[in-house]
Amino acid sequence: MTDQLRADAARLLREARAVVVFTGAGISAESGVATFRDALTGLWERYDPQQLATAEAFHAAPDLVWGWYEWRRALVSRARPNAGHHAVAAIEAHAPSTVVVTQNVDDLHERAGTRALVRLHGSLFAPRCVRCAAPASLPPPPGDTPEGGGRIPPPSCVECDGPVRPGVVWFGESLPEDQLAAAVRAASTCDLLLTVGTSAVVYPAAEIPRVAARHGAPVVQVNPYETPLDALADINLRGPAGQVLPALVAAAWPDAGGAR
Ligand code: BJW
Ligand code: ZN
């Protein structure tokens, strides 16, 4: 990241009235939460999404799928927000019309203090009944799950005894309508979209930066590697979110003492 690119991005951020921060798994990587598609460390390098992240997989092997999500819930519960999550919360503190649109199913944005949050792919912490959709409450996550979680039978719904499923959006499933509509609305009316830590290959979420660009908003991308958004982005800031975002916030609001 050159100083000039950072200064240009900081000016866009400082002058923006409505900011959308669009995040993916990369923002949580420095908290120790694995991404999906990074070489060597990504979840899809070690696990088959067709066997774990589809409704068909849950139907065929509910205990395998539930065990995997319980393992991930336990890992995320032990993780802590990093400097990138805190910098995103600081952007909202400086520019109150900020909306954070996340594809992540962890809760690290909330724990860093983000308030205006749109969740496109659900949450590890919001399971629901397959049959009647009633929300289910979960005990604290298991402390000593083996790698990958092993087989754990899903709990039964207290309302109808149906199986409880993870509250995430699997491949082939529709995104929550209200959340997708809120994301499209925010992207259509923002005057800066900051995309952070996403490979931008999963649709329809990957449309969000493109919607903002179509409506004339500049796009700034934060990612250590190339993505399909490189050509769309007005500014590409190469580097890890936990370093780039605090530096960007400090450059945008130098009198505020950096990311709060
Ligand atoms: C760092 C970093 C650091 C690393 N700092 N950065 C159009 C075209 C083609 C296909 C489709 C299409 N429309 C729909 C589809 C099908 C499908 C899809 O998109 N498939 C493509 C993958 C080919 N989409 C769907 O199925 C969606 N539903 C849908 O479209 O419904 C309508 C429909 C219904 C019926 C039939 C057909 C259509 C649903 C998608 C749900 C995605 N779910 C997952 C799993 C959630 C649950 C779970 O966690 O298990 O969501 S998949 C996974 O990918 C997860 C993520 O939210 C999502 C995006 O990944 P993300 O966040 O970008 O992570 P990575 O790992 O890909 O990238 C990390 C990035 O971080 C990298 O760029 C790194 O460089 C970077 N990085 N360290 C900053 N320190
Ligand atoms: Zn039920």
Side-chain angles (χ1 to χ4, degrees):
M1 177 177 52
T2 69
D3 290 352
Q4 187 57 52
L5 287 178
R6 186 204 293 140
D8 291 347
R11 186 180 47 76
L12 288 173
L13 189 55
R14 187 173 50 248
E15 291 174 358
R17 198 185 28 82
V19 181
V20 169
V21 186
F22 177 64
T23 66
I27 196 170
S28 298
E30 289 155 90
S31 295
V33 180
T35 64
F36 294 92
R37 297 173 185 81
D38 278 288
L40 303 178
T41 56
L43 286 171
W44 297 158
E45 292 273 311
R46 288 176 288 151
Y47 300 100
D48 179 357
Q50 292 305 324
Q51 307 282 326
L52 292 162
T54 65
E56 293 74 21
F58 185 67
H59 187 70
D63 46 355
L64 203 70
V65 173
W66 185 259
W68 193 65
Y69 280 95
E70 280 294 86
W71 170 64
R72 288 179 53 210
R73 183 168 71 96
L75 292 180
V76 165
S77 299
R78 288 197 288 272
R80 299 182 49 181
N82 65 54
H85 298 103
H86 288 295
V88 170
I91 292 173
E92 188 180 16
H94 287 292
S97 300
T98 298
V99 176
V100 179
V101 176
T102 192
Q103 300 163 85
N104 296 346
V105 296
D106 64 43
D107 59 352
L108 297 178
H109 278 305
E110 293 98 314
R111 283 201 263 146
T114 286
R115 282 181 301 198
L117 184 65
V118 174
R119 296 192 151 281
L120 292 179
H121 291 163
S123 163
L124 289 171
F125 302 93
R128 65 174 189 276
C129 174
V130 169
R131 200 179 290 157
C132 76
S137 51
L138 292 174
D144 55 351
T145 41
E147 160 82 27
R151 288 177 182 272
I152 304 174
S156 299
C157 173
V158 293
E159 303 290 336
C160 77
D161 211 32
V164 168
R165 60 161 281 176
V168 301
V169 180
W170 284 325
F171 286 110
E173 293 188 321
S174 301
L175 277 58
E177 234 171 80
D178 59 334
Q179 301 294 294
L180 184 58
V184 170
R185 198 164 48 242
S188 313
T189 52
C190 71
D191 36 36
L192 174 66
L193 186 135
L194 188 58
T195 170
V196 182
T198 177
S199 60
V201 295
V202 175
Y203 284 84
E207 277 295 336
I208 296 303
R210 295 176 170 94
V211 168
R214 272 201 300 278
H215 282 81
V219 172
V220 173
Q221 174 169 237
V222 177
N223 200 305
Y225 303 109
E226 289 180 12
T227 80
L229 294 179
D230 278 31
L232 178 97
D234 297 86
I235 299 176
N236 282 293
L237 301 176
R238 294 264 183 255
Q243 291 173 26
V244 174
L245 288 176
L248 181 62
V249 169
W253 295 283
D255 299 332
R260 293 181 228 167

